[in-house]
Amino acid sequence: MTQELVDFVKEHYTIPLYLVAWIISVIRYKRYYDTVLKYFPVFIIYTFLTELLGYFIKHTDEFQFFSDYRYAWHNIVIFNIYSVVSFTFFYYIYWKVLKNEKHKVRVKYASMIAALGYLVSLLFQNPLHIGLYYADLLASIVLLYAIGLYFIEKRTEQSYYSMRDNLMFWVSIGLFIFHIFFPFIFIAAYDWPIFYYEYRLHEFLMILIVIMYLFFIAGFLLGKRKAFR
């Protein structure tokens, strides 16, 4: 059993990383409990449980959704749901944290376009068996746009506190780095699988997840309540 656990951690090292990030987010919760990120620990544990369920669906019989053996290992539906929840969560965060009313309106309408992208994708892709990767690409672009607006506001904002003390800044950096690459890796996995495996893009994706969550953890550890924004 111990060796199985070791092998699991080696192969799926991002899953325990989610748990570690969640524990730290709870320990440091008093530093941001009354900010727009107050539900961030819930989101992180949701990420952890989604990844764990995805593993069990793929590798065990007890958690499989489909009786047809050809699709028994398919777990993509829970990740499609996760994508919609994830992007909605972060769109809301940036809509709330932005101060410029024009920026808030732009994020609002851009998020509607992203939602439309998912609805259109449902007409051409079966979310039970394939990732909605083009909709994810559009949603990532919208999120990067929202993050860009946030950075523009921070650049012109007067503050007594260093950016390193701002949890929102660390979260934004982590998200920005990840979403620059994530949708293209996802598309490559479906449309160019030879390229995906030849250049080991899955390993690159895992590294991006680690980098993103290390930024989150740094924010939890360094962030100060009065510096938040």
Side-chain angles (χ1 to χ4, degrees), residues 40 43 46-47 79-94 118 136 139 143 175 178-179 182 212-213:
F40 203 18
F43 173 78
Y46 168 57
T47 303
F79 293 106
N80 283 330
I81 295 172
Y82 174 82
S83 289
V84 174
V85 173
S86 175
F87 284 116
T88 301
F89 176 71
F90 286 114
Y91 292 161
Y92 173 76
I93 284 176
Y94 284 99
Y118 280 104
D136 284 336
L143 181 56
L175 289 172
F178 179 77
H179 283 280
F182 154 71
M212 178 172 63
Y213 270 81

Side-chain angles (χ1 to χ4, degrees), residues 32-124:
Y32 62 95
Y33 74 94
D34 58 347
T35 72
V36 70
L37 287 178
K38 59 185 176 182
Y39 298 115
F40 203 18
V42 178
F43 173 78
I44 294 175
I45 200 64
Y46 168 57
T47 303
F48 168 75
L49 294 174
T50 298
E51 290 286 350
L52 199 59
L53 178 59
Y55 172 83
F56 285 133
I57 292 172
K58 189 172 183 178
H59 296 282
T60 66
D61 296 332
E62 292 80 3
F63 291 86
Q64 291 171 348
F65 290 159
F66 306 101
S67 56
D68 190 329
Y69 73 92
R70 293 174 299 173
Y71 310 118
W73 59 275
H74 283 199
N75 59 9
I76 193 63
V77 62
I78 66 171
F79 293 106
N80 283 330
I81 295 172
Y82 174 82
S83 289
V84 174
V85 173
S86 175
F87 284 116
T88 301
F89 176 71
F90 286 114
Y91 292 161
Y92 173 76
I93 284 176
Y94 284 99
W95 177 76
K96 289 287 288 185
V97 82
L98 290 172
K99 291 184 177 181
N100 187 301
E101 286 300 323
K102 290 183 178 179
H103 291 170
K104 293 172 77 74
V105 171
R106 289 173 184 174
V107 169
K108 176 182 176 180
Y109 285 110
S111 63
M112 290 180 180
I113 294 173
L116 181 61
Y118 280 104
L119 292 176
V120 172
S121 291
L122 294 177
L123 300 176
F124 302 97

